[in-house]
Amino acid sequence: MTIPIANPQVGDAEREYVEAVLDSGQLADGPEVRRFESEFAAYCDTDDAVATSNGTTALHAALHALGIGEGDRVVTTPFTYIATANAVSFCDATVEFVDIDPETYNIDPAALERRLREGPPVDAVVAVHLYGLPADMERLAELAGAYDFALVEDAAQAHGATVDGDRVGSLADAGCFSFYPTKNMTTGEGGMITTDRSDVADRAARFVDHGRSEGYEHAEIGHNFRMTSVAAALGRAQLQRLPRFTSARQLNASRLSTALERTAVRTPSVPDNRTHVYHQYTIRTTDREALCSRLDEQDVGYGVYYPVPVHEQAAYDHVDAVAPNAEQAAEEVLSLPVHPALTRADVEQVATAVRESMEVIA
């Protein structure tokens, strides 16, 4: 595509950090990972951070550290990447789904409250900050207090997003991030758990390192979910550039929304007390197939995230869920390029392609 849906930005700073690690000879988990953990915790304003091999292992380790296991119930959204639900399943817990708010695409607190009132007790809720927009963490935290469940943020797409000025990753018992290449910042592959709970940080750190307490002493059974020093070096450089990446995404999104105001597509909605970091700039249209065909002709990249809700995947067809909002969104959402590598001319080309396509479709 002339304008791709994603374009990871890696430059001289990343190369310098990685070369320093290569020269050091300490390529596996080590001091560079500890530095990245410390810097990322400071960025999120949390007491601790634990680096992992990817975003899925971050979710798995966080849930394990919170004591989630066999016989427990964990509620999340069906409108997310399947890794969110898989992390629950890896803990041998039961996953349940409640519907989304159709304006934000995030878990609907009202739907969750109905489930809490009417169903058996819930041990944890995983709130996904989809596309880079935080979920309603204030209301979810109130429900967590009232119904006594652990609250986890799946912030894989929301690095730097805020609620009332507080960054995601600091708004629950634990926050989980992904550093996959297409994310707002990358380590190639990698993840991070952020938390203010020392017990969660300590248990997560053991779990990702074979249950190791110290030396060759192992307090529990764990996995090898460690981050490499090479990945951490990339992450440290990327974290320094993240504010600029975020500003560029937000500027590109603002220009797209202005340019698409008078079209038949629905542009992103952002509540007043939240900031959106636009991992994806996602529009809605009932003519998605036709629009995709037109964008293909004009070499404008796009993505559909996600065309099949998790409860409709074969892996989870045993889970009963009533989620009409998620199902409708899955049929209508379409994400447009918004990444920091776009020029103003690129943004105008994307907007023009959508406007002209919708006019032809109409």
Side-chain angles (χ1 to χ4, degrees):
M1 288 294 173
T2 302
I3 303 178
I5 186 64
N7 188 352
Q9 300 296 290
V10 176
D12 292 340
E14 286 83 354
R15 292 183 179 88
E16 291 174 8
Y17 275 66
V18 169
E19 287 175 1
V21 167
L22 295 176
D23 290 342
S24 75
Q26 293 181 308
L27 306 186
D29 179 66
E32 190 74 357
V33 179
R34 303 290 85 76
R35 285 188 281 268
F36 183 34
E37 289 172 333
S38 177
E39 290 165 5
F40 198 81
Y43 176 78
C44 293
D45 194 24
T46 58
D47 293 338
D48 291 291
V50 178
T52 71
S53 53
N54 55 62
T56 307
T57 57
L59 284 165
H60 183 182
L63 289 166
H64 171 82
L66 287 163
I68 299 302
E70 187 175 2
D72 290 333
R73 294 179 181 272
V74 179
V75 175
T76 190
T77 166
F79 195 52
T80 180
Y81 187 56
I82 198 170
T84 308
N86 285 351
V88 178
S89 298
F90 294 151
C91 292
D92 294 321
T94 298
V95 64
E96 296 185 19
F97 302 107
V98 299
D99 209 358
I100 62 168
D101 176 341
E103 292 298 317
T104 66
Y105 305 116
N106 290 320
I107 193 168
D108 181 359
L112 174 61
E113 187 172 13
R114 287 193 297 273
R115 160 61 187 84
L116 294 168
R117 285 198 312 263
E118 299 169 3
V122 166
D123 299 284
V125 169
V126 181
V128 180
H129 305 317
L130 199 69
Y131 302 142
L133 177 66
D136 186 351
M137 295 305 297
E138 291 176 315
R139 183 60 184 140
L140 294 177
E142 291 173 354
L143 292 173
Y147 289 90
D148 190 27
F149 58 77
L151 184 58
V152 176
E153 299 174 74
D154 182 341
Q157 302 180 353
H159 315 66
T162 64
V163 178
D164 287 327
D166 295 322
R167 286 196 173 120
V168 300
S170 68
L171 306 174
D173 292 290
C176 301
F177 294 83
S178 168
F179 303 124
Y180 187 73
T182 58
K183 295 299 194 291
N184 293 35
M185 60 172 284
T186 184
T187 63
E189 277 278 17
M192 190 75 76
I193 302 164
T194 53
T195 183
D196 287 327
R197 290 181 50 177
S198 60
D199 62 324
V200 172
D202 291 345
R203 192 174 188 199
R206 288 197 304 270
F207 187 66
V208 305
D209 189 18
H210 296 289
R212 187 194 309 268
S213 51
E214 59 178 311
Y216 282 98
E217 297 180 10
H218 301 264
E220 61 180 305
I221 295 173
H223 288 272
N224 179 0
F225 287 167
R226 298 182 302 241
M227 176 180 282
T228 69
S229 290
V230 174
L234 274 170
R236 293 184 67 211
Q238 287 270 297
L239 183 59
Q240 294 177 13
R241 300 174 68 189
L242 181 58
R244 295 194 296 277
F245 290 162
T246 300
S247 294
R249 287 177 179 275
Q250 290 170 334
L251 178 59
N252 292 339
S254 177
R255 287 172 172 166
L256 283 170
S257 290
T258 298
L260 298 176
E261 275 181 353
R262 293 181 174 81
T263 67
V265 302
R266 187 194 304 180
T267 55
S269 174
V270 184
D272 290 339
N273 68 332
R274 302 178 224 176
T275 61
H276 200 320
V277 293
Y278 295 99
H279 170 62
Q280 300 295 346
Y281 180 89
T282 301
I283 61 174
R284 289 184 73 160
T285 173
T286 55
D287 297 307
R288 186 173 69 193
E289 185 175 350
L291 178 55
C292 289
S293 179
R294 296 284 303 175
L295 294 177
D296 283 333
E297 294 172 2
Q298 299 178 71
D299 283 339
V300 171
Y302 58 85
V304 177
Y305 312 103
Y306 298 93
V308 182
V310 182
H311 68 286
E312 293 186 340
Q313 298 280 356
Y316 289 96
D317 61 6
H318 61 283
V319 180
D320 292 330
V322 179
N325 291 334
E327 291 163 11
Q328 184 175 359
E331 294 177 355
E332 297 178 355
V333 294
L334 181 71
S335 296
L336 302 172
V338 74
H339 55 78
L342 296 174
T343 65
R344 183 163 189 165
D346 290 334
V347 175
E348 291 173 355
Q349 183 178 339
V350 172
T352 298
V354 174
R355 282 200 308 267
E356 293 180 351
S357 296
M358 295 307 295
E359 289 171 3
V360 170
I361 293 166

